[in-house]
Amino acid sequence: MRRSSLIAVTPLLVVLASSAAQAHALLDHAEPRVGNKVESLPHEVTLWFTQKLEPAFSKVTVTNAAGERVDSGKARVSGNQMSVSLRSGGSGTYHVNWHVLSVDTHTSEGSFTFQVGQ
Amino acid sequence: MLLSYARASLWGAAIALIPLSGSSAHEIVGNRFFPATLSIDDPGVNDEMSLPTADSFKTGDVPPVRQRDISAEFSKRITEDFAISFGTTYTFLGPIDPTAAGANGFQNLETTFKYRVFKSPEHEFVMSVGVSVEWGGTGSSTVGAEAFNTYTPTLYFGKGLGDLPDTLSWVRPVAITGQVGYAIPGRNFTTTFGLDPDTGDLTADTEFNPRVLNWGGTIQYSMPYLKSSVVDLGLPDSINHLIPLVEANLQTPVANTLTSGTLTTGTIQPGVIWVGNTFQVGVEALIPINRQSGRNIGVIAQLHLYLDDIDPRGIGKPLFGGPVQPASPFAR
């Protein structure tokens, strides 16, 4: 890149970099990992998002293959991380549905599954 | 040299200030993120800015001309579902054949009014309608800008395949978008008067301005969707931000075609978009579908800024209505 071009682009990059904490909260990764298989149902599901969350307006539910809730109901939010405890459950496919509000007032939602079993 | 650096820095500062003082459209519908595609307008409305979009290709003219364009578009939501966008393009026409003349200049300014009529998060489906107005006489005739307005009512849609059954889970990251527009010139024909060089007589050349169907679509495979909604394969982060896609951007004259003919022209555009939190970068090849559409493979690239994410409480929110926020915590 030519030096003059670099000078021209620098202020733009500064704005983009400084605003990196303000955007829609999208799911970055989860534990159990999205679409993966675990041997037994874990004690909790944890989701990490791309932005910080508003605890009062963010929730996650986990249901088993029969559609029954297996989460404790109360999500714990800290920064960009949200967890919910799980009750006991057997093998099968579990559905995780999340709905969050990021600190910049954007709402977003999503879902994924993970498998439990050998 | 120092002066050119100072000018470059001022230009960069101007670019940086625009989002803060004062935006085209990505869209989120349920699990689905529709990126702003480079040629086909995406199906939603938002506060966005494409700055710049640059392309280079060899035209289908005889003799061919090397055309380079630099364009900018700013889209601003008036309400949550209604946005107005403003676009401008500067064109460089460079002769390849020494007998052809070159030219530089602005194309006509364009304004688009767009309204999102339907959005289904559950089915990852969104549809919008809009009208684009190309303001005649605002550009330079030397680069082909017409002297009359052109009005193009357009239907836009997007559909993610996330609602497919588990047996087709690998197809869920696929999304398709499309647009169908009908360009109506403000004048049915243009007559150019001149003098016959041999006889000196007055001549009149009439060209009919056709009504054109502007149509096309995209097919996309979203790696972010694959990771967050289907299966996390543990791929490198750089891969997880990519959306490979193919765009088709086509024009078919359908009425008033006496002098234009009815041949469809356009390009097929395979490429990739890298998606970040506040901006995206895209690059695509421009493959002409026939000789009349171009003489070789060109290229188009774009930096696109998500103003709603860069400045959500300022320029990035609708003028009326503000950002959507639930009135009470979700029921537990």
Side-chain angles (χ1 to χ4, degrees):
Chain A
M1 179 182 285
R2 289 174 54 195
R3 195 173 156 193
S4 59
S5 301
L6 189 63
I7 292 170
V9 169
T10 299
L12 178 60
L13 295 178
V14 168
V15 168
L16 294 176
S18 63
S19 61
Q22 300 177 332
H24 287 87
L26 301 176
L27 181 64
D28 184 67
H29 65 284
E31 190 58 47
R33 281 167 53 178
V34 173
N36 281 245
K37 182 179 276 190
V38 292
E39 288 187 3
S40 60
L41 188 65
H43 297 298
E44 67 177 17
V45 170
T46 303
L47 297 83
W48 286 267
F49 291 87
T50 55
Q51 306 300 332
K52 290 182 178 177
L53 309 178
E54 289 286 357
F57 297 95
S58 301
K59 74 165 185 176
V60 57
T61 62
V62 183
T63 55
N64 60 20
E68 299 160 339
R69 292 271 297 265
V70 296
D71 62 86
S72 65
K74 180 69 176 174
R76 302 183 301 280
V77 175
S78 175
N80 65 338
Q81 184 178 333
M82 179 165 64
S83 302
V84 65
S85 299
L86 304 181
R87 297 191 287 267
S88 58
S91 301
T93 300
Y94 288 80
H95 294 258
V96 179
N97 291 282
W98 55 267
H99 191 137
V100 300
L101 177 70
S102 58
V103 293
D104 68 358
T105 72
H106 285 121
T107 58
S108 51
E109 60 187 325
S111 62
F112 64 90
T113 63
F114 65 89
Q115 314 284 328
V116 173
Q118 296 295 328
Chain B
M1 183 77 81
L2 191 62
L3 187 61
S4 67
Y5 286 160
R7 280 180 182 159
S9 187
L10 280 173
W11 172 235
I15 295 172
L17 285 172
I18 289 169
L20 298 177
S21 61
S23 179
S24 189
H26 62 285
E27 178 68 275
I28 297 177
V29 186
N31 273 358
R32 178 67 55 177
F33 171 82
F34 291 100
T37 45
L38 279 63
S39 292
I40 300 298
D41 202 358
D42 68 281
V45 298
N46 222 319
D47 295 293
E48 303 178 311
M49 183 161 61
S50 300
L51 186 70
T53 303
D55 63 60
S56 176
F57 61 99
K58 203 185 289 183
T59 69
D61 298 327
V62 181
V65 173
R66 167 64 65 186
Q67 179 170 341
R68 295 183 176 90
D69 302 298
I70 295 179
S71 58
E73 187 181 31
F74 170 77
S75 180
K76 179 77 201 106
R77 282 182 298 175
I78 307 304
T79 68
E80 180 67 22
D81 296 317
F82 177 63
I84 302 177
S85 64
F86 306 91
T88 184
T89 299
Y90 194 85
T91 296
F92 303 86
L93 298 176
I96 294 170
D97 186 314
T99 62
N104 300 334
F106 280 100
Q107 299 288 348
N108 285 335
L109 295 170
E110 192 166 327
T111 306
T112 301
F113 306 86
K114 195 173 179 187
Y115 182 72
R116 183 171 50 217
V117 294
F118 184 70
K119 188 173 179 178
S120 169
E122 180 185 350
H123 296 291
E124 301 176 359
F125 180 74
V126 59
M127 187 168 69
S128 299
V129 294
V131 177
S132 294
V133 182
E134 182 187 317
W135 302 103
T138 56
S140 170
S141 60
T142 59
V143 292
E146 301 287 3
F148 50 84
N149 291 356
T150 300
Y151 309 91
T152 311
T154 305
L155 173 72
Y156 313 87
F157 69 90
K159 173 76 177 85
L161 303 189
D163 49 5
L164 288 175
D166 289 344
T167 51
L168 295 170
S169 62
W170 289 94
V171 188
R172 284 179 179 164
V174 172
I176 56 172
T177 69
Q179 71 174 43
V180 181
Y182 189 64
I184 306 167
R187 287 184 198 159
N188 283 332
F189 58 88
T190 303
T191 302
T192 307
F193 295 99
L195 287 176
D196 187 310
D198 297 326
T199 64
D201 293 341
L202 186 66
T203 62
D205 181 23
T206 297
E207 184 180 352
F208 290 86
N209 303 316
R211 297 186 173 195
V212 179
L213 195 65
N214 292 327
W215 56 290
T218 76
I219 182 165
Q220 321 167 2
Y221 195 88
S222 174
M223 298 304 289
Y225 191 100
L226 179 70
K227 183 192 177 192
S228 66
S229 300
V230 181
V231 59
D232 183 352
L233 297 171
L235 298 171
D237 204 39
S238 55
I239 302 293
N240 288 326
H241 283 261
L242 297 179
I243 301 180
L245 77 166
V246 178
E247 293 192 55
N249 183 20
L250 306 165
Q251 300 83 39
T252 305
V254 291
N256 203 27
T257 57
L258 195 61
T259 56
S260 69
T262 57
L263 181 73
T264 296
T265 56
T267 49
I268 303 297
Q269 305 173 202
V272 66
I273 295 173
W274 184 93
V275 175
N277 283 338
T278 54
F279 69 100
Q280 66 173 56
V281 179
V283 61
E284 297 175 353
L286 295 168
I287 304 174
I289 62 166
N290 49 31
R291 197 167 183 79
Q292 288 74 17
S293 305
R295 294 302 180 98
N296 67 347
I297 297 177
V299 65
I300 183 170
Q302 183 185 76
L303 170 64
H304 184 93
L305 309 175
Y306 309 145
L307 296 185
D308 60 323
D309 290 324
I310 291 172
D311 186 20
R313 293 183 176 85
I315 186 61
K317 70 172 187 176
L319 289 180
F320 303 100
V324 175
Q325 187 169 358
S328 61
F330 305 109
R332 298 288 182 187

